[in-house]
Amino acid sequence: MSASRIGQMLSSKSLRVITRGNYRFFGNGAQYPAGHLTSGVRSVMIPSPLSPFFSQSRALSGVSEPPRGLVQEKMTENAVFSQNKVLTIDTMNPKVKNVEYAVRGPIVQRAVQIEKELREGVKKPFTEVIKANIGDAHAMGQQPITFFRQVLALCSYPELLKDNMFPEDAKSRARRILQACGGSSLGAYSASQGIDCVRQDVARYIERRDGGVPCDPDNVYLTTGASDGIVTMLKLLVCGEGASKTGVMISIPQYPLYSAALAELGAVQVNYYLNEEKCWSMDLSELERSLAEARKHCNPKVLCIINPGNPTGQVQSRQCIEDVIRFAAKEHLFLMADEVYQDNVYAEGCQFHSFKKVLFELGPQYSNTVELASFHSTSKCYMGECGFRGGYMEVINMDPEVKDQLTKLVSVRLCPPVPGQALMDLVVNSPQPGEPSYTTFMKERTATLRLLAEKAKLTEEILNTVPGITCNPVQGAMYSFPNISLPQKAIKEAKALGQAPDMFYCMKMLEETGICLVPGSGFGQKDGTYHFRMTILPPTDKLKILLAKVKEFHQKFTQQYS
């Protein structure tokens, strides 16, 4: 194809090229690293200065070959020029285009590409990509709890119940779960709200956790991880248009699930900032400021809290939780408490307090009126079973008619994954003293949490030895969120490229060291501050390598741009 023909094609109104960071988005919705557009043409180069292939990029050419290691996808002209498509980037749901999820964003996509390049023999200044971008414990080497996997194996293949290698308490748990399943099979649908006996076990667990505060199993909904429950509740809460549109207060920094869900639902995101100078604590005056500002343009009626915090790793004090509950009661706000890291508390003097427990201890004035939904998951804590997608939510003081609508809404997706429900049951109904599996279970649980505590301390200590990096204590959860000082020259270069400065920083770190982190801009942060989030999950030896590389890179980066 001639260069003139290519030029005619590229001038077509049906092709839109949008640059976002290190990626180019095309009119057909496809996404490629900046610097490359592949079609029926052999190769069309649109170079970006940040592209790792920039030095190899050329002007438009009908004969150029892609650089070694580059995956070149063949696309028909109709795929690029989609005038005749029903679904195009212009006709698709505009709210979906506003959804962003930094944890699996452009840096992670580039990390996957680099891994492939390494396998294909492309030379890099490193031999592996270390992914510290996501709280996926087992992917980072954490071992599953033996009892959980034994029971799940028995449930998945009941013939194993005849095998003497499994302890009797594992068999009894498996039999009970299977008896509650249709056809005694994990492969059958369950009730939409979840298996009844599992919801009963969740209710008893909550009562034990909260010192006897009653829990009605009918208020418990099993979910596909905590994320499913959070999005379901937001669907119920979001309504209105213009000044009456629902506003949802979320902490900044936040877990991007919240901003993504609000964008998809068309709700108004109302930011309140955690206090970095006070170890990311919540500040009542900041909540008041945020709410007053929001009421000028929307109808704020939801307050979301993540405790222990993601990405910031703080554990809120009991006094803080009391203040938040009183604030919600006074301002007539629905509370959503994301408590998936409730076992991940490491710092001396810190303790997890559930919002429900504190709510009821404040007395009937609050426990009979404040509406609360709280969430838990099998994915975090000592379990780390992300792939099973198990979780639950409990609703408190929900209007009965709304509760009927909630039950209807969850019925649309039929039921949560039944293996995930079974795993959730094992988390809330773990081996007890005197049972055959108790000693091993407690040994594994304790060792996992102790190791996480050690890595939390190690991460804080090493990062704080780096000039220009300041890391608050990792009191809980699975992440550190250090503050990084960036030279003005780097900030200026990043902005010239249309990138957030910490995105620029993290992308360069990935290209030069193989370390995959998430920029703080993906979670939200105060203007003029820059951060990154990294997990504390890699094995200790690999974590030390990771931290040493971060230290070396930051010093080199600072010198380069000073």
Side-chain angles (χ1 to χ4, degrees):
M1 184 178 293
S2 69
S4 62
R5 174 60 179 147
I6 296 170
Q8 291 170 3
M9 291 172 61
L10 293 178
S11 67
S12 170
K13 293 181 180 178
S14 62
L15 175 63
R16 299 193 308 133
V17 183
I18 304 168
T19 301
R20 285 186 184 171
N22 201 37
Y23 283 73
R24 301 279 189 179
F25 295 78
F26 297 92
N28 67 329
Q31 179 177 336
Y32 299 93
H36 299 281
L37 166 62
T38 58
S39 69
V41 186
R42 292 296 296 271
S43 181
V44 178
M45 301 305 212
I46 305 178
S48 165
L50 190 61
S51 169
F53 310 113
F54 179 61
S55 62
Q56 299 165 317
S57 297
R58 299 179 183 178
L60 294 178
S61 169
V63 296
S64 61
E65 291 290 338
R68 184 182 179 189
L70 173 65
V71 179
Q72 186 170 21
E73 297 181 12
K74 298 297 181 183
M75 298 167 55
T76 66
E77 289 185 13
N78 284 339
V80 178
F81 305 107
S82 52
Q83 295 145 310
N84 297 322
K85 299 289 186 184
V86 173
L87 182 62
T88 70
I89 197 72
D90 294 315
T91 63
M92 69 175 286
N93 184 342
K95 293 175 182 175
V96 173
K97 290 187 281 188
N98 293 329
V99 172
E100 294 184 2
Y101 190 66
V103 175
R104 292 178 182 260
I107 286 184
V108 182
Q109 294 163 13
R110 176 62 187 141
V112 171
Q113 189 179 33
I114 289 174
E115 286 181 316
K116 186 165 187 177
E117 291 170 6
L118 287 170
R119 289 194 298 271
E120 293 174 348
V122 177
K123 297 299 182 184
K124 303 282 182 183
F126 49 86
T127 58
E128 66 173 334
V129 173
I130 301 178
K131 293 180 182 176
N133 61 292
I134 195 167
D136 191 350
H138 290 188
M140 292 287 99
Q142 181 175 307
Q143 295 302 300
I145 298 296
T146 301
F147 180 78
F148 293 169
R149 290 304 182 89
Q150 287 175 330
V151 178
L152 290 171
L154 291 163
C155 288
S156 299
Y157 187 57
E159 283 294 309
L160 293 174
L161 288 165
K162 302 172 185 176
D163 197 316
N164 292 329
M165 71 178 289
F166 292 91
E168 193 54 43
D169 55 347
K171 290 182 178 181
S172 66
R173 294 290 203 291
R175 291 189 188 99
R176 180 170 179 265
I177 292 169
L178 288 172
Q179 287 168 6
C181 295
S184 297
S185 171
L186 285 189
Y189 288 131
S190 75
S192 297
Q193 198 169 340
I195 298 171
D196 184 65
C197 72
V198 178
R199 291 191 294 114
Q200 292 177 23
D201 287 346
V202 170
R204 301 294 82 79
Y205 162 82
I206 292 172
E207 289 179 351
R208 292 192 305 271
R209 182 198 67 186
D210 293 344
V213 175
C215 178
D216 183 351
D218 195 45
N219 290 335
V220 174
Y221 291 75
L222 301 184
T223 58
T224 307
S227 301
D228 172 51
I230 291 165
V231 173
T232 298
M233 283 307 309
L234 289 172
K235 286 179 180 178
L236 287 179
L237 286 156
V238 172
C239 64
E241 293 294 334
S244 67
K245 184 178 288 187
T246 298
V248 179
M249 300 179 68
I250 65 171
S251 60
I252 299 295
Q254 53 104 20
Y255 177 49
L257 164 69
Y258 290 90
S259 55
L262 297 180
E264 183 179 357
L265 295 170
V268 178
Q269 177 177 318
V270 178
N271 297 339
Y272 66 88
Y273 290 88
L274 300 176
N275 190 333
E276 184 170 8
E277 289 70 33
K278 294 184 178 179
C279 207
W280 301 112
S281 63
M282 293 180 70
D283 189 317
L284 190 58
S285 63
E286 170 60 16
L287 289 177
E288 292 169 343
R289 179 208 63 78
S290 173
L291 181 64
E293 193 66 30
R295 280 180 170 157
K296 297 175 183 177
H297 59 87
C298 68
N299 177 25
K301 60 181 183 182
V302 189
L303 173 57
C304 300
I305 305 98
I306 308 174
N307 182 51
N310 175 10
T312 45
Q314 85 286 1
V315 179
Q316 301 294 357
S317 68
R318 180 192 168 87
Q319 183 60 55
C320 172
I321 294 171
E322 287 185 13
D323 291 343
V324 170
I325 291 172
R326 291 190 175 97
F327 174 78
K330 175 186 172 186
E331 302 295 347
H332 202 55
L333 298 172
F334 189 106
L335 277 176
M336 291 177 59
D338 182 340
E339 300 175 331
V340 301
Y341 299 98
Q342 56 191 257
D343 291 322
N344 297 109
V345 178
Y346 317 124
E348 188 175 343
C350 290
Q351 182 180 348
F352 171 76
H353 301 277
S354 79
F355 267 78
K356 182 189 176 184
K357 180 174 185 285
V358 177
L359 174 65
F360 276 77
E361 289 176 349
L362 286 175
Q365 176 186 356
Y366 298 98
S367 62
N368 291 341
T369 60
V370 174
E371 297 158 85
L372 168 69
S374 57
F375 309 90
H376 195 20
S377 167
T378 62
S379 300
K380 309 303 177 183
C381 298
Y382 63 93
M383 301 86 71
E385 297 277 13
C386 303
F388 279 98
R389 309 308 299 134
Y392 75 74
M393 67 176 172
E394 182 190 14
V395 294
I396 304 294
N397 294 321
M398 178 172 278
D399 183 292
E401 291 184 327
V402 175
K403 195 173 175 187
D404 290 341
Q405 295 297 313
L406 171 59
T407 303
K408 178 187 74 175
L409 185 59
V410 300
S411 72
V412 173
R413 49 94 159 118
L414 298 177
C415 69
V418 175
Q421 294 186 52
L423 179 59
M424 190 78 253
D425 187 66
L426 302 176
V427 172
V428 300
N429 186 23
S430 57
Q432 299 301 303
E435 293 185 320
S437 300
Y438 177 74
T439 300
T440 299
F441 169 77
M442 288 303 297
K443 180 180 178 181
E444 292 176 346
R445 181 186 189 278
T446 302
T448 298
L449 292 173
R450 182 177 62 245
L451 186 58
L452 286 170
E454 291 171 359
K455 291 190 286 189
K457 188 68 175 174
L458 176 71
T459 300
E460 174 201 345
E461 289 177 347
I462 292 180
L463 288 177
N464 279 325
T465 66
V466 185
I469 296 182
T470 305
C471 184
N472 271 322
V474 183
Q475 297 175 333
M478 296 177 171
Y479 317 97
S480 64
F481 197 70
N483 186 302
I484 53 175
S485 297
L486 300 180
Q488 282 301 313
K489 184 179 176 182
I491 294 171
K492 185 176 180 180
E493 184 170 329
K495 290 182 177 179
L497 293 168
Q499 288 192 322
D502 47 15
M503 167 66 88
F504 175 75
Y505 174 92
C506 288
M507 189 65 82
K508 285 187 73 70
M509 184 188 297
L510 172 63
E511 296 289 350
E512 295 180 19
T513 70
I515 303 297
C516 181
L517 308 177
V518 189
S521 49
F523 301 89
Q525 55 198 350
K526 284 188 175 180
D527 289 344
T529 67
Y530 307 106
H531 303 78
F532 61 75
R533 189 191 80 162
M534 62 167 282
T535 72
I536 60 170
L537 291 174
T540 302
D541 56 346
K542 188 164 287 190
L543 181 63
K544 289 179 178 178
I545 293 170
L546 185 157
L547 291 168
K549 286 190 171 187
V550 169
K551 181 175 183 177
E552 181 182 0
F553 171 80
H554 186 82
Q555 292 170 332
K556 179 181 174 183
F557 182 90
T558 301
Q559 289 176 347
Q560 179 182 353
Y561 287 98
S562 293

